[in-house]
Amino acid sequence: MTRAVGVGLLGLGTVGSAVARAMGERGEGLSASAGRDLRLVRAAVRDASKTRDLPVEVTANAFDVLDDPDVDVVVEVIGGHRPAIDLHLAAFERGKHVVTANKEVVAKEWRALHEAARGAKRELRFEAAVAAAVPVVAAARALGAARVRTIRGLLNGTTTYICSRMEAGASFDDALREAQAAGYAEADPSADVDGWDPAYKLSILISLAEGRWHDPAAVSRTSLRGVTTAAMNDAAGRGMRIRYIATAEFGQKGTTARVAPEEVEAASLEGQATGPTNVVRFDTDLAGVLTFMGPGAGGDATASAILGDVIQIARGMR
Ligand code: NAP
Ligand code: HSE
């Protein structure tokens, strides 16, 4: 009989706990989709003494997961640069596949991670790292033959949430607190409001479109913090809304990329977006304009993309 594909989780926060719950609740469906049984083997966290009502054995030592011979796929949802990069590399050294929602480590360590995966003959998958449930990583890969002229849209749910709540009268601080409570914001929310998070995501999409690493430090960032309710009301009076827009322009002389608050038509997809909705438009020569929209943050939406990646890996395993 074929052995089950073992999944080891690094992180059991908003995203990791949603992955654990989904694996517990829909095991049969996931296994049917993968063509193999999928088994959640164990999970590593920072504080193993926290009470968690989740169907998984917990350890405070990430190497208990990495060294477990029953773990075939490591799902890293700790976030941040370190220790995430060391754990990814250690996973490949041990012959594991890696799935992650961590855009920071993928954007910053693009070359090292792809090299390590190639060297280990294992997969590195990160659909969840950009726009969560919206399959824009797959879309960017599928556009290999077309020349992408621009990528533009909303790549951060927290800032869209804040803008839409400020339009409804909330203060910036209250709106940010609500986004944190809903599990949309990063552990350090300055990653959202100062643009690091969408800059990492945009650099991943650019890297996929160009077939080579685009340094996220080259994405220019303007913080959302300077945007006032007065500016929002003024925009509204002209049929406009303020949204935190990510733009990449692929020109003859190079690629420029920025994330910044901008005015958009109130009636546009971006203007209508509230909460964690992401919008991504690829303008291409062969394929015209492709527009993607959907939940770009939140535990379940992110777990959906992660488990999609796990299923793809399991389907490819002999
Ligand atoms: P989170 O709620 O802050 O959870 C982080 C988890 O990692 C916690 O369980 C924490 O343990 C654990 N952890 C932290 N440091 C660790 C270490 N050194 N060793 C082992 N475990 C450690 O974060 P999240 O919102 O789930 O986000 C996780 C990743 O997914 C991030 O890269 C984020 O950008 C990405 N992402 C998030 C969303 C979203 O909507 N939240 C959507 C898409 C992508 P404790 O529980 O013990 O503290
Ligand atoms: N903090 C991120 C956001 C999570 O608000 O979009 C999804 O990547």
Side-chain angles (χ1 to χ4, degrees), residues 7-9 12 20 39-45 48 52 54-60 64-65 68:
V7 175
L9 267 173
L12 269 182
R39 185 166 83 86
L40 180 54
V41 179
R42 56 166 94 194
V45 294
R52 306 169 203 260
L54 292 167
V56 63
E57 183 191 326
V58 168
T59 170
D64 287 345
V65 173
D68 191 322

Side-chain angles (χ1 to χ4, degrees), residues 84-139:
I85 178 58
D86 307 311
L87 298 173
H88 282 234
L89 296 179
F92 287 127
E93 277 164 18
R94 287 158 178 74
K96 317 288 186 191
H97 301 280
V98 174
V99 173
T100 189
N102 182 344
K103 68 284 298 197
E104 178 172 357
V105 77
V106 174
K108 286 182 174 168
E109 299 285 356
W110 182 267
R111 287 179 174 147
L113 287 174
H114 282 84
E115 250 168 54
R118 254 194 313 277
K121 297 191 170 53
R122 292 293 182 268
E123 287 205 51
L124 166 69
R125 297 187 74 102
F126 46 86
E127 183 61 68
V130 187
V134 193
V136 291
V137 168

Side-chain angles (χ1 to χ4, degrees), residues 140-306:
R141 290 189 202 280
L143 284 170
R147 197 170 72 78
V148 180
R149 289 188 283 241
T150 61
I151 300 173
R152 188 170 158 82
L154 301 174
L155 284 176
N156 181 266
T158 300
T159 45
T160 306
Y161 185 91
I162 292 172
C163 290
S164 57
R165 290 290 297 126
M166 284 176 75
E167 280 155 13
S171 70
F172 179 95
D173 289 342
D174 284 348
L176 174 55
R177 267 192 289 276
E178 289 170 21
Q180 288 178 292
Y184 304 146
E186 295 301 297
D188 174 357
S190 64
D192 299 290
V193 296
D194 296 327
W196 292 105
D197 174 88
Y200 296 141
K201 293 165 173 167
L202 189 58
S203 82
I204 290 172
L205 293 180
I206 297 169
S207 302
L208 290 166
E210 295 187 325
R212 62 171 182 270
W213 180 55
H214 186 88
D215 187 346
V219 178
S220 108
R221 288 175 304 105
T222 307
S223 175
L224 182 68
R225 291 180 205 267
V227 174
T228 60
T229 306
M232 293 199 164
N233 291 340
D234 178 63
R238 291 178 281 104
M240 305 296 279
R241 285 196 176 141
I242 294 176
R243 289 290 180 269
Y244 202 73
I245 301 287
T247 308
E249 289 165 334
F250 299 78
Q252 297 287 354
K253 290 187 181 151
T255 301
T256 57
R258 63 181 184 275
V259 292
E262 288 183 25
E263 287 193 3
V264 297
E265 300 273 347
S268 65
L269 291 180
E270 290 84 350
Q272 290 292 305
T274 57
T277 301
N278 280 191
V279 176
V280 186
R281 299 172 197 270
F282 296 90
D283 181 1
T284 78
D285 58 355
L286 288 182
V289 179
L290 292 122
T291 305
F292 295 82
M293 187 175 82
D300 288 344
T302 311
S304 165
I306 287 172

Side-chain angles (χ1 to χ4, degrees), residues 27-90:
E28 257 181 48
L30 294 174
S31 298
S33 190
R36 302 265 303 252
D37 279 349
L38 294 184
R39 185 166 83 86
L40 180 54
V41 179
R42 56 166 94 194
V45 294
R46 191 169 25 202
D47 177 1
S49 69
K50 270 189 203 169
T51 307
R52 306 169 203 260
D53 186 18
L54 292 167
V56 63
E57 183 191 326
V58 168
T59 170
N61 181 358
F63 282 85
D64 287 345
V65 173
L66 298 180
D67 288 330
D68 191 322
D70 289 337
V71 170
D72 304 289
V73 183
V74 171
V75 173
E76 184 272 301
V77 281
I78 288 173
H81 189 187
R82 288 191 192 285
I85 178 58
D86 307 311
L87 298 173
H88 282 234
L89 296 179

